[in-house]
Amino acid sequence: MTTYLLLLRGINVSGANIVKMADFRAFLAALGFKRVETYIQSGNAVFSSSDSAEQAGRRVADAFPARFGFLPKMMLIPAGEFASAVEGNPFSDPNIDPARLHLGFLADEPAEAAAALLALKPSGSAEYRIKGRVIYLTTPDGIGNSQFASLIEKTLKVPVTFRNWRTVLALQAMAGLPERADPLANKN
């Protein structure tokens, strides 16, 4: 059995694309996934399956529209890959607000030319690093106020979904992954 983290994008926003987490858990359990848990209303789930990531992702994508009436963008991440993303966090300043540090999970590794183009974009107070299929982003003024954050997916031409550091650590715990020494642990 492999543990997976399923991250949905664009649900429960401004009254659109509503997915109640109890319904989402029941949906995933009905697909045969085990140990299904969800975290907050923004579409975060952890489950176990004997399926490959491709098989599990296809099963969810094939059944989701019939149950919920739409198909959101989603990232299915094996727990080991998620743990590596957490461990790879290049931002270790304990003064970073964990609500302002985000991990963006990319559907694919961006092309070098696209990553180089992103480096030319004005980032304001935001800082970022790309490592494989993860973009680490700090937004001191908030992700909703960051014009740079809104350019990332368009520039990289790769779907991305972001989670703040607090959510990342909560998902890490739900997945039963070993906790890393958190440089931001002193923040509330």
Side-chain angles (χ1 to χ4, degrees), residues 35-108:
R35 296 190 304 268
V36 177
E37 294 183 69
T38 57
Y39 178 72
I40 64 176
Q41 296 298 313
S42 60
N44 305 291
V46 175
F47 63 83
S48 296
S49 176
S50 57
D51 290 346
S52 69
E54 182 180 325
Q55 291 168 325
R58 187 177 22 218
R59 287 177 58 208
V60 172
D62 287 349
F64 200 96
R67 172 61 184 89
F68 296 102
F70 69 100
L71 181 61
K73 289 189 178 176
M74 57 181 75
M75 304 291 172
L76 184 66
I77 307 163
E81 187 178 324
F82 191 88
S84 294
V86 174
E87 188 62 34
N89 173 19
F91 296 105
S92 59
D93 181 347
N95 294 315
I96 294 174
D97 180 346
R100 310 272 192 214
L101 171 61
H102 307 274
L103 271 65
F105 297 92
L106 299 156
D108 293 300

Side-chain angles (χ1 to χ4, degrees), residues 59-180:
R59 287 177 58 208
V60 172
D62 287 349
F64 200 96
R67 172 61 184 89
F68 296 102
F70 69 100
L71 181 61
K73 289 189 178 176
M74 57 181 75
M75 304 291 172
L76 184 66
I77 307 163
E81 187 178 324
F82 191 88
S84 294
V86 174
E87 188 62 34
N89 173 19
F91 296 105
S92 59
D93 181 347
N95 294 315
I96 294 174
D97 180 346
R100 310 272 192 214
L101 171 61
H102 307 274
L103 271 65
F105 297 92
L106 299 156
D108 293 300
E109 199 166 323
E112 279 186 41
L117 185 58
L118 184 63
L120 299 175
K121 302 288 183 185
S123 61
S125 63
E127 291 183 57
Y128 77 97
R129 307 284 184 282
I130 298 173
K131 291 184 178 182
R133 292 182 46 213
V134 179
I135 182 166
Y136 302 86
L137 176 68
T138 65
T139 56
D141 300 324
I143 198 164
N145 296 320
S146 173
Q147 291 180 346
F148 179 74
S150 68
L151 299 173
I152 291 171
E153 184 172 273
K154 292 176 205 167
T155 305
L156 294 180
K157 296 183 178 9
V158 176
V160 62
T161 188
F162 284 96
R163 297 298 186 268
N164 74 34
W165 190 246
R166 285 187 180 129
T167 297
V168 165
L169 294 181
L171 292 171
Q172 172 183 301
M174 285 174 53
L177 297 170
E179 292 184 25
R180 63 170 276 199

